[in-house]
Amino acid sequence: MKLKVSHLNFSYDDVEALEDVSLDVESTQILGIIGPNGSGKTTLLKCINRKLRPRYGTILIDTKNISNFSRKEIARNIGVVPQVSSISFSFLVSDIVSMGRYAYLSRFGRETEKDLSAVKSSLELTGTAHLSNRFINEISGGEYQRVIIARALAQESKILLLDEPTLHLDINHQIEILELVRSLARKRNLAVIMVLHDLNLSARFADRLLLLNKGRVYKAGSVEEVLQPENIEKVFRIKVKIIRDTETNILSVLPVSVMKG
Amino acid sequence: MKQKIILSVLCTVLFLTLLSTLTIGPVHIPIKTVAKILLSKIYNIQATWPENFQSIILFVRFPRILLGILVGCALSVSGCAMQGMFRNPMADSYVCGIASGGAFGASLVIISGMGRGLIMPVAFGFSLLAIFIVYYLAKTGRKVPVETLLLSGIAISLFFSALTSFIHYISEEWQWREMIFWIMGGLWKSDWNRVASSSPIIILGTLGLMFFSRELNILLIGEEQAQDLGVEVEKTRKIILVLSALVASSAVAVSGIIGFVGLIIPHTMRLIIGPDHRFLLPASCLAGGIFLVWVDTISRTLISPSELPVGIITALFGVPFFLFLLRRRKKIIGF
């Protein structure tokens, strides 16, 4: 399975937000999207699942153009994990995950055996089965985000979009969530597009990176290709050193100083 | 499980309410006699009760109590759906102009000297007109921002209230007395005709709303996430708005403006049964009926043989109780 986005253009009223953005991502792959604030990362995700209608450009899932898909069809094909927010209403965790099945239910129908088993396996895969009878507004931030990932899995889509899934989480939960996403991509054959603010985390968990600058693709390719000091300096206006730890082989970005002028 | 128990308790309470309030009034009629009179309509039972008991029960109290159940249910179900759909605890059908539109329509018919029979349909029509003006004022592009909707609702309400006040100002005293019914709201004009004319829309609309429980739950989580999960947000909102408007307008057309029910009952039920609309809507519906019937019973017996407008009692009893709940369990409501 392959998601292919070509020549996407989007503008808010007359402010150009995305210009000629193309990308593709295949099953089991994680594409990381990085870029400064306002570079169009979230807008790009919203265009991909058509919450925003791009002015032009096409989005293909394999050979199917999704531009005429209904919202339910989109939800069956693309799952979304939004930025860590919170739900202040006392729904049970199992109710929240069941909401992922909405796209499969008819108005007068009830949940079938298939829906229940999809919910159950999503809870198990994300390690949230033990929370299913807890209230969503009474669990921790890390648990919450795992539940939201479970909800997206219950959609049984082949594409997963994540918008800064680790924002506001502590370092332990950041790694935990991203390791979960990586293992799910492999186990469930998901094509994942993930917006990440943290360059170190994106270096570590993405298979490929796409660097956005002012709504345009500045550089796309392997992690090593994109995380070159000159790319980062140009886009983020900051001097960095890129270091590879010899023991763990983990690449990291060390900010040195903000560039003047 | 817990929710199902609460719902069956509410069903039982509603039934008991119906039976016991039939006995209450200037003339006390024992519950056995009430039961016999009701059953005599279905089975052949020898009449052992005074003639006037029969007409009090069948033509005065029974339609009034049924209308109370219908109106209470309509107001709280539509309030509940609107709060959920707009994720706003202040939303109810009155805020969106339905009440003041209806009162204006009724006043217009009364002062113009058109037939009484026109009051209900015209009030109904103006309620709907008001909410659709509000909706289209708030609409920007394909979206309807909640804040704009509530603000334009308040503005249109004030506008219709001003028109109604003007009509009152230039009306004769007897007309003015008639109009007061709409402003204060009440069930003292209940008859079978009102029950029959309001029940189809209220019952069908309420059932219709219940088929949108899933969407209401998802909308409560947030608009963006609702879209991600496959909900057509704008379309769904429009349908829920139309259903709520129909239900609430029917209630206003037969009982005038009865405030607070649409606000207090759904919030109270949210505290008791939780935010899940699959249970919350039926619970609000039942509790709204129970509440309004008891409040109406108080209003017709407190200063008997005269009566108080029911809106005064809903506020006097409902608000302190509601505030008590709110202060005790503030965070559980969730808005």
Side-chain angles (χ1 to χ4, degrees):
Chain A
M1 206 275 320
K2 186 170 179 177
L3 172 75
K4 191 168 169 58
V5 175
S6 331
H7 310 297
L8 214 58
N9 277 258
F10 179 82
S11 51
Y12 291 103
D13 295 323
D14 32 58
V15 184
E16 204 75 32
L18 292 175
E19 264 185 275
D20 198 29
V21 174
S22 298
L23 60 88
D24 53 72
V25 57
E26 287 173 25
S27 298
T28 73
Q29 250 185 10
I30 298 180
L31 173 68
I33 297 179
I34 54 176
N37 293 333
S39 57
K41 303 186 295 291
T42 301
T43 306
L44 176 58
L45 286 193
K46 286 184 179 172
C47 282
I48 292 175
N49 86 331
R50 295 196 71 78
K51 272 191 285 188
L52 296 175
R53 303 220 149 220
R55 243 179 341 132
Y56 39 89
T58 52
I59 298 157
L60 297 179
I61 297 177
D62 286 329
T63 53
K64 273 182 291 174
N65 190 328
I66 70 163
S67 61
N68 292 318
F69 276 23
S70 69
R71 283 247 56 98
K72 279 194 173 183
E73 279 176 285
I74 289 176
R76 289 195 288 261
N77 283 285
I78 304 175
V80 179
V81 177
Q83 288 182 11
V84 178
S85 50
S86 67
I87 293 172
S88 53
F89 297 93
S90 53
F91 284 106
L92 291 177
V93 165
S94 55
D95 290 337
I96 296 289
V97 177
S98 302
M99 289 177 186
R101 298 303 295 171
Y102 173 78
Y104 294 89
L105 297 171
S106 68
R107 170 150 326 282
F108 305 106
R110 303 188 61 143
E111 278 100 342
T112 61
E113 209 48 50
K114 196 167 175 290
D115 296 312
L116 298 178
S117 76
V119 170
K120 192 162 169 266
S121 70
S122 307
L123 285 164
E124 279 161 6
L125 271 171
T126 51
T128 49
H130 65 289
L131 299 171
S132 61
N133 282 320
R134 297 267 304 276
F135 287 120
I136 189 76
N137 52 353
E138 290 172 1
I139 60 177
S140 75
E143 290 170 331
Y144 176 90
Q145 200 62 349
R146 294 214 309 267
V147 170
I148 298 300
I149 292 174
R151 187 182 71 187
L153 286 182
Q155 289 175 245
E156 291 187 322
S157 58
K158 287 288 163 208
I159 298 160
L160 188 62
L161 309 181
L162 300 100
D163 191 0
E164 301 196 33
T166 58
L167 205 70
H168 307 309
L169 295 181
D170 63 38
I171 191 151
N172 175 307
H173 289 105
Q174 287 180 2
I175 303 294
E176 180 194 79
I177 291 288
L178 293 174
E179 281 184 342
L180 173 66
V181 170
R182 187 159 62 188
S183 79
L184 290 173
R186 312 288 191 253
K187 270 190 225 162
R188 282 272 189 117
N189 288 325
L190 298 174
V192 178
I193 300 179
M194 179 157 67
V195 167
L196 279 176
H197 236 68
D198 188 313
L199 297 178
N200 291 317
L201 291 176
S202 61
R204 188 161 160 185
F205 289 96
D207 299 309
R208 285 185 305 128
L209 286 178
L210 182 120
L211 175 58
L212 279 180
N213 188 29
K214 295 176 184 150
R216 290 177 154 275
V217 177
Y218 186 83
K219 181 84 189 165
S222 70
V223 173
E224 288 76 13
E225 282 172 320
V226 175
L227 289 183
Q228 290 293 325
E230 60 269 23
N231 293 340
I232 305 301
E233 279 165 22
K234 191 84 201 301
V235 172
F236 288 91
R237 317 267 324 133
I238 186 167
K239 282 218 174 300
V240 293
K241 277 180 83 173
I242 308 290
I243 302 160
R244 188 176 283 281
D245 182 68
T246 46
E247 195 181 322
T248 57
N249 200 30
I250 292 172
L251 195 76
S252 69
V253 179
L254 181 70
V256 179
S257 63
V258 173
M259 290 166 68
K260 302 272 173 2
Chain B
M1 195 59 217
K2 182 193 141 204
Q3 285 110 328
K4 284 182 184 155
I5 295 171
I6 296 174
L7 283 183
S8 32
V9 168
L10 284 171
C11 277
T12 318
V13 172
L14 182 65
F15 181 71
L16 295 178
T17 299
L18 176 67
L19 275 189
S20 50
T21 49
L22 277 170
T23 67
I24 302 170
V27 184
H28 175 77
I29 302 175
I31 195 150
K32 266 188 186 162
T33 316
V34 169
K36 275 186 197 160
I37 292 172
L38 292 181
L39 289 174
S40 74
K41 286 275 115 187
I42 309 168
Y43 304 105
N44 207 355
I45 296 176
Q46 186 67 40
T48 54
W49 52 84
E51 188 68 23
N52 67 330
F53 276 23
Q54 176 137 353
S55 47
I56 289 175
I57 294 292
L58 292 180
F59 296 106
V60 181
R61 290 189 197 163
F62 200 36
R64 180 166 186 160
I65 289 164
L66 281 186
L67 197 70
I69 293 174
L70 282 170
V71 168
C73 159
L75 294 177
S76 49
V77 145
S78 65
C80 181
M82 286 188 148
Q83 287 148 22
M85 142 174 87
F86 291 130
R87 304 183 74 204
N88 192 310
M90 288 306 294
D92 85 348
S93 38
Y94 284 11
V95 178
C96 298
I98 283 177
S100 45
F104 171 72
S107 304
L108 200 64
V109 174
I110 294 165
I111 195 163
S112 66
M114 290 186 276
R116 290 270 176 80
L118 280 176
I119 294 180
M120 277 195 281
V122 171
F124 181 72
F126 270 96
S127 289
L128 289 181
L129 178 71
I131 195 164
F132 284 106
I133 294 176
V134 168
Y135 183 83
Y136 283 101
L137 278 179
K139 193 170 163 158
T140 45
R142 289 178 61 235
K143 292 202 159 186
V144 182
V146 176
E147 293 77 11
T148 327
L149 187 97
L150 295 179
L151 283 175
S152 52
I154 290 166
I156 291 297
S157 292
L158 288 174
F159 183 73
F160 274 116
S161 299
L163 288 177
T164 311
S165 299
F166 175 71
I167 292 178
H168 290 183
Y169 191 71
I170 59 169
S171 62
E172 307 282 338
E173 200 190 321
W174 64 270
Q175 292 171 322
W176 187 78
R177 287 200 165 277
E178 188 127 334
M179 290 171 194
I180 279 292
F181 168 80
W182 292 91
I183 307 305
M184 291 200 171
L187 296 164
W188 69 78
K189 290 195 167 181
S190 307
D191 52 34
W192 283 109
N193 178 28
R194 280 176 196 247
V195 174
S197 59
S198 64
S199 54
I201 295 180
I202 292 180
I203 292 170
L204 290 178
T206 301
L207 289 177
L209 284 171
M210 285 177 188
F211 281 115
F212 281 87
S213 301
R214 265 191 214 119
E215 281 87 349
L216 281 166
N217 285 346
I218 295 177
L219 282 171
L220 209 49
I221 305 298
E223 195 175 315
E224 295 252 333
Q225 293 186 51
Q227 288 182 304
D228 294 338
L229 292 168
V231 179
E232 306 263 5
V233 171
E234 294 304 324
K235 195 173 125 200
T236 307
R237 276 200 181 142
K238 212 184 229 171
I239 297 170
I240 296 174
L241 188 71
V242 169
L243 288 173
S244 314
L246 286 172
V247 165
S249 302
S250 314
V252 171
V254 292
S255 67
I257 303 177
I258 300 176
F260 298 104
V261 179
L263 214 54
I264 292 169
I265 299 296
H267 284 314
T268 309
M269 286 300 114
R270 222 172 256 117
L271 290 170
I272 295 172
I273 207 163
D276 188 337
H277 286 86
R278 285 172 300 178
F279 305 108
L280 179 58
L281 285 174
S284 295
C285 169
L286 294 167
I290 295 167
F291 176 75
L292 195 59
V293 169
W294 277 112
V295 168
D296 181 54
T297 306
I298 296 170
S299 84
R300 67 189 162 89
T301 50
L302 203 62
I303 52 165
S304 168
S306 175
E307 32 178 291
L308 283 167
V310 72
I312 296 177
I313 317 278
T314 52
L316 283 182
F317 284 80
V319 173
F321 172 65
F322 176 63
L323 290 177
F324 164 74
L325 278 177
L326 201 61
R327 285 199 61 83
R328 245 183 79 215
R329 303 176 69 182
K330 208 172 195 168
K331 76 176 201 324
I332 297 178
I333 287 193
F335 284 107

